[in-house]
Amino acid sequence: FTDCKFDIESINFVRNKLLQLSRPISNIKKIYLSRQKASSTRRQYNENEVINIFKKYGFEIVSPEKLSIVEQISLFDNADFIAGVTGAAFTNILFCKTGCKVLCIQSAKNDLSVFSTIAKCLKLEMQYFSVYDESRKNKDIHEDFIVDLVKIESVLVDFLSNDQSQVTKN
């Protein structure tokens, strides 16, 4: 992963050009990026149980691959909170406003800093939750995994805690 380079000016150029397409079509402020409708079967996890936790805290479940690019730009541009399992959909954080909180669940530790670099450039508040354990050390990052529901709920509550109005369960 040492060949990953970023040009901040290019990131801002693409962001600013595409944000011109944003429309006030969504009032969703808290988004959980679902993989339920994705055609890929890789990286399966206990998504239904994880989704139920996020729903308790008012997150809307979204499958970005089912949306047009304009809908994705508008959705992310309007969001205050983004969460989900790492994947290509996280590239859309490019359209988040400054201060948006991003919680990225990952199955393994890796040295790829794509999303965190975008987040830092755009002044997003990004946090990773890794289900990594030593037994997965030599496993493929696309293998199935299980998210500890108690831990993810605790991390989510902490993640939301800077905005107390968002912590309340629905």
Side-chain angles (χ1 to χ4, degrees):
F1 298 124
T2 59
D3 63 346
C4 186
K5 305 288 183 199
F6 288 89
D7 181 338
I8 302 303
E9 288 180 24
S10 295
I11 289 173
N12 283 320
F13 175 81
V14 170
R15 171 186 161 76
N16 292 333
K17 285 292 185 187
L18 292 175
L19 273 174
Q20 293 175 18
L21 301 173
S22 183
R23 303 287 179 260
I25 60 173
S26 171
N27 202 22
I28 301 172
K29 295 294 185 183
K30 295 191 286 188
I31 301 166
Y32 184 86
L33 303 174
S34 173
R35 301 178 59 84
Q36 288 181 321
K37 295 182 174 71
S39 59
S40 173
T41 58
R42 62 183 195 177
R43 211 175 17 205
Q44 298 293 311
Y45 69 103
N46 52 331
E47 184 172 25
N48 289 331
E49 293 86 354
V50 173
I51 281 174
N52 287 335
I53 289 171
F54 281 82
K55 280 182 175 180
K56 279 193 330 190
Y57 294 93
F59 279 74
E60 297 286 332
I61 311 310
V62 175
S63 297
E65 71 277 5
K66 302 295 183 188
L67 303 175
S68 71
I69 186 65
V70 171
E71 291 170 322
Q72 290 179 54
I73 291 167
S74 301
L75 186 69
F76 280 75
D77 183 27
N78 189 58
D80 293 330
F81 301 91
I82 308 288
V85 170
T86 187
F90 270 89
T91 304
N92 285 313
I93 66 171
L94 183 64
F95 309 117
C96 291
K97 61 186 172 247
T98 298
C100 181
K101 293 184 174 193
V102 181
L103 177 59
C104 185
I105 302 167
Q106 58 186 16
S107 63
K109 291 181 180 179
N110 62 53
D111 296 325
L112 187 61
S113 61
V114 176
F115 304 129
S116 58
T117 300
I118 293 170
K120 182 173 181 166
C121 170
L122 300 177
K123 296 181 175 84
L124 309 179
E125 187 179 327
M126 183 156 196
Q127 179 177 332
Y128 284 93
F129 175 81
S130 179
V131 298
Y132 173 83
D133 63 46
E134 201 58 32
S135 67
R136 295 186 53 82
K137 187 174 185 175
N138 296 317
K139 306 270 182 173
D140 185 301
I141 63 169
H142 299 292
E143 287 187 1
D144 296 352
F145 62 96
I146 301 293
V147 175
D148 181 312
L149 301 177
V150 172
K151 286 182 183 176
I152 193 62
E153 185 166 13
S154 175
V155 168
L156 177 59
V157 168
D158 185 56
F159 176 68
L160 296 171
S161 67
N162 290 337
D163 185 352
Q164 289 300 317
S165 66
Q166 303 297 326
V167 177
T168 307
K169 292 181 186 179
N170 288 338

